[in-house]
């Protein structure tokens, strides 16, 4: 069957069968995703941020997602990872557990996703989508709590499903959530900085 005819959830479940070793490297994962690699990489690394199950994953997620966005902005047709990132790996069991716990999110969005407003996923808007991935990836890379990672994680999941299913309406919704998430994180960071300044006596409460 042509991979392009598969729904995103079907391709997502197939991640568990990639390779043959006990660990799966990011490079191995990237090369196996084909022409849907950009959207799938964002989806794979966004989902753990909405269901906290892998400690410390947000920083790695943010770096990978930002790299994906940068490559979309410069017009690459398939994702590439530098060696120091590509060699990172995770246990196959951990990847399988993540797929099993999060695939229901993918399936819920698939029920409403359909090809429409395709201009939001192609051409110049493809670059805009990449820029949003860079912004939200940078936010995920910050040392924030799960509460701070959840809003950008949701935005990234919606954006990636919209991109993969060529649903411009979902992409537009994802951009809106991404803007709100950015404002929320900025407010959270501002509050933390203000609290730190007060605690050191550099700012009057």
């Amino acid at each position: 069957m042509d991979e392009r005819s598969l729904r995103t959830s079907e391709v997502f479940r197939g991640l568990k069968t990639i390779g043959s070793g006990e660990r799966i490297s990011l490079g191995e994962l990237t090369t196996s995703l084909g022409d849907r690699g950009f959207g799938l990489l964002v989806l794979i690394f966004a989902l753990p941020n909405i269901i906290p199950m892998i400690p410390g994953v947000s920083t790695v997620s943010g770096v990978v997602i930002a790299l994906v966005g940068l490559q979309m902005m410069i017009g690459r047709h398939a994702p590439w990872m530098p060696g120091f990132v590509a060699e990172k790996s995770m246990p196959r069991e951990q990847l399988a557990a993540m797929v099993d716990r999060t695939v229901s999110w993918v399936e819920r969005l698939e029920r409403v996703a359909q090809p429409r407003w395709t201009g939001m996923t192609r051409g110049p808007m493809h670059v805009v989508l990449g820029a949003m991935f860079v912004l939200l990836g940078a936010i995920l890379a910050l040392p924030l709590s799960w509460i701070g990672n959840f809003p950008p994680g949701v935005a990234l999941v919606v954006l990636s499903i919209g991109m993969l299913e060529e649903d411009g309406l979902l992409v537009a919704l994802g951009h809106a959530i991404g803007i709100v998430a950015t404002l929320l994180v900025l407010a959270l960071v501002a509050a933390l900085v203000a609290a730190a300044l007060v605690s050191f006596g550099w700012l009057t409460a």
Side-chain angles (χ1 to χ4, degrees), residues 181-196:
T182 301
L183 294 175
L184 288 174
V185 170
L186 287 174
L188 174 62
V189 171
L192 291 173
V193 170

Side-chain angles (χ1 to χ4, degrees), residues 17-74:
T17 64
I18 291 173
S20 57
E22 294 183 0
R23 299 185 69 86
I24 301 175
S25 71
L26 180 54
E28 188 177 26
L29 187 63
T30 301
T31 56
S32 71
L33 297 179
D35 60 358
R36 303 176 82 177
F38 289 126
L40 283 167
L41 276 175
V42 172
L43 179 63
I44 292 165
F45 284 92
L47 281 166
N49 292 284
I50 62 176
I51 300 179
M53 55 177 294
I54 305 175
V57 75
S58 64
T59 299
V60 175
S61 296
V63 170
V64 172
I65 291 169
L67 282 172
V68 168
L70 282 172
Q71 291 175 57
M72 288 173 61
M73 291 176 69
I74 64 175

Side-chain angles (χ1 to χ4, degrees), residues 40-193:
L40 283 167
L41 276 175
V42 172
L43 179 63
I44 292 165
F45 284 92
L47 281 166
N49 292 284
I50 62 176
I51 300 179
M53 55 177 294
I54 305 175
V57 75
S58 64
T59 299
V60 175
S61 296
V63 170
V64 172
I65 291 169
L67 282 172
V68 168
L70 282 172
Q71 291 175 57
M72 288 173 61
M73 291 176 69
I74 64 175
R76 284 190 61 88
H77 298 291
W80 167 86
M81 293 293 149
F84 74 95
V85 177
E87 68 186 11
K88 302 297 182 183
S89 66
M90 66 186 301
R92 180 179 300 278
E93 289 184 1
Q94 195 173 63
L95 176 63
M98 188 273 287
V99 170
D100 290 337
R101 285 191 60 181
T102 58
V103 71
S104 60
W105 283 75
V106 179
E107 291 173 329
R108 289 190 191 104
L109 285 170
E110 276 184 343
R111 294 189 190 109
V112 300
Q114 58 180 296
R116 55 188 165 184
W117 297 13
T118 54
M120 290 291 294
T121 67
R122 303 172 182 171
M125 294 306 296
H126 194 71
V127 176
V128 175
L129 189 53
M132 183 59 80
F133 287 159
V134 171
L135 173 62
L136 297 176
I139 290 173
L140 285 182
L142 296 174
L144 301 174
S145 65
W146 175 73
I147 294 175
N149 293 331
F150 182 80
V154 170
L156 287 162
V157 169
V158 174
L159 285 166
S160 58
I161 294 291
M163 179 183 175
L164 289 162
E165 297 290 328
E166 296 190 315
D167 189 336
L169 182 58
L170 272 185
V171 169
L173 176 61
H175 279 301
I177 297 173
I179 292 169
V180 172
T182 301
L183 294 175
L184 288 174
V185 170
L186 287 174
L188 174 62
V189 171
L192 291 173
V193 170

